[in-house]
Every structure is written in structure tokens, then in C-alpha cells.
Amino acid sequence: GMVGGRPCTWTYRQLLAEANRIAHVLTEDLGLVPGNRVLLRAPNNPMFAASWLAVMKAGGVAVSTMQLLRARELQPIIGKARIGLALCDVRLVAELQSAAAHCPDLRRIVCFNHDGPGSLEAMAAAKPIEFDNVDTAAEDPALIAFTSGTTGLPKAARLSHMRFLGVGDGMSAVAGYGRDEVIACVLPLF
């Protein structure tokens, strides 16, 4: 299938190249420095995965949100996490723009899955396919996940880089994989 005029099935090599290009955009064009929080808003698709990985590569902290959240639900998340930059699937940008009107910290929204000028794809097109990952510490935050807020305001949970690696190690121990085997662990990105 196609998303935004692009195939929605990528090889791992394509995913790595796009994540590296986006990491260049984040650090060179959008001013991301390690520790900055980046809101990610999209359904599951390759550009969402590449953007999430790019945030990790650039040393940022991903704050992913469910695609069903509306402006009033996004506002406390943006405020609590002090989001300055958002990467958003163009199909979901309307609610994010509505929320941004009430969130002074959110200075920039960049959309993807479209071919228009200013899209994340357009910004990344000429960037190199290699990127030297930012050297993060094991306990540095990688992800801030928010609860749904059904019993009040959403609450944040911080996950470190080590926590992600721990999932892989735990799955390997449970499933009995050998040390030379490569496994991929996918946690919910929001």
C-alpha cells in the first residue's frame, strides 16, 4: 500500500537510512539538543517508526501519543512534558494545531506522510544516510509515556534507554535465544 504517495513497506536498510536523515533534520535544521522532548503523533507506519528512531539517535526524548487524542487531551501532555517540537502525520495535524494554540512551549510542528514543501520528507531528502548516534547514558530518558487521564489529568512515566535494552534481554532469557541471535523487541511507541 501507499501512505502519502510512498510505499508503506520498507526494508530495515530503508528504515535506517530514513531515520538517519531525519536525525540530521532534527539536529541541524530543527535545533534538537539531547534531552529535548519531541511529540510524535501518527498511526503506525514507516515514517512514524523512522521518526521515533531518529529522536532516539539524536538523543531526544520521544513523547508519543495515541492517534485518537483530541486537542483538550493533548494540551496537558504538551504542557507537562514541555514539548517544543512535534512531528505529526499530516492526517492528524488538525487536533495538534488546535492544542498548540494553547501551548506556548510548542513552537514547531513538522508534518510527514505528504510531499508538500516543508514536509519532513522534503527536509530529509538531501540529508546523508549515515548519522553518528548521540552518546546517551543508560539512565538517560528515552521515552515519556502518558496515561490516558481517565481518572484525572494524564500522568507521565519516564523510561530510560536501559529499560528498552532490558526488554530484549528479558525476552531472550525467557525464550532461550542464544547470544549470537539478533532479536527485535517492539514496545508500544505511545
Side-chain angles (χ1 to χ4, degrees):
M2 303 289 280
V3 175
R6 301 175 72 184
C8 61
T9 301
W10 295 359
T11 65
Y12 286 110
R13 184 180 308 272
Q14 290 170 313
L15 178 61
L16 175 62
E18 194 67 14
N20 286 340
R21 287 185 186 108
I22 295 168
H24 279 288
V25 170
L26 291 170
T27 57
E28 297 166 10
D29 302 334
L30 300 176
L32 182 79
V33 296
N36 285 165
R37 275 85 48 214
V38 179
L39 185 86
L40 296 165
R41 181 166 165 76
N44 290 336
N45 60 62
M47 274 301 289
F48 176 58
S51 297
W52 193 92
L53 291 169
V55 171
M56 296 299 104
K57 292 169 95 36
V61 180
V63 181
S64 303
T65 62
M66 293 184 290
Q67 61 183 344
L68 297 177
L69 295 183
R70 301 295 178 238
R72 66 178 173 78
E73 298 157 324
L74 291 168
Q75 288 173 27
I77 292 170
I78 294 167
K80 282 185 176 186
R82 293 184 309 229
I83 302 291
L85 169 66
L87 304 180
C88 184
D89 189 299
V90 70
R91 297 167 292 181
L92 301 177
V93 74
E95 291 292 332
L96 182 56
Q97 288 171 329
S98 293
H102 304 282
C103 300
D105 287 335
L106 182 53
R107 294 176 302 281
R108 184 90 186 258
I109 298 171
V110 178
C111 290
F112 55 85
N113 282 331
H114 75 97
D115 296 324
S119 71
L120 187 56
E121 291 90 339
M123 296 175 77
K127 298 294 185 185
I129 62 170
E130 293 88 20
F131 182 83
D132 292 330
N133 296 341
V134 170
D135 188 16
T136 55
E139 287 300 326
D140 284 348
L143 170 73
I144 298 175
F146 280 86
T147 64
S148 64
T150 54
T151 60
L153 290 175
K155 295 164 189 65
R158 173 191 163 280
L159 295 174
S160 68
H161 288 275
M162 183 172 62
R163 184 69 62 188
F164 285 104
L165 295 176
V167 170
D169 289 344
M171 291 298 294
S172 178
V174 169
Y177 295 117
R179 290 194 55 78
D180 294 332
E181 294 184 73
V182 177
I183 62 170
C185 292
V186 180
L187 296 172
L189 300 182
F190 56 80

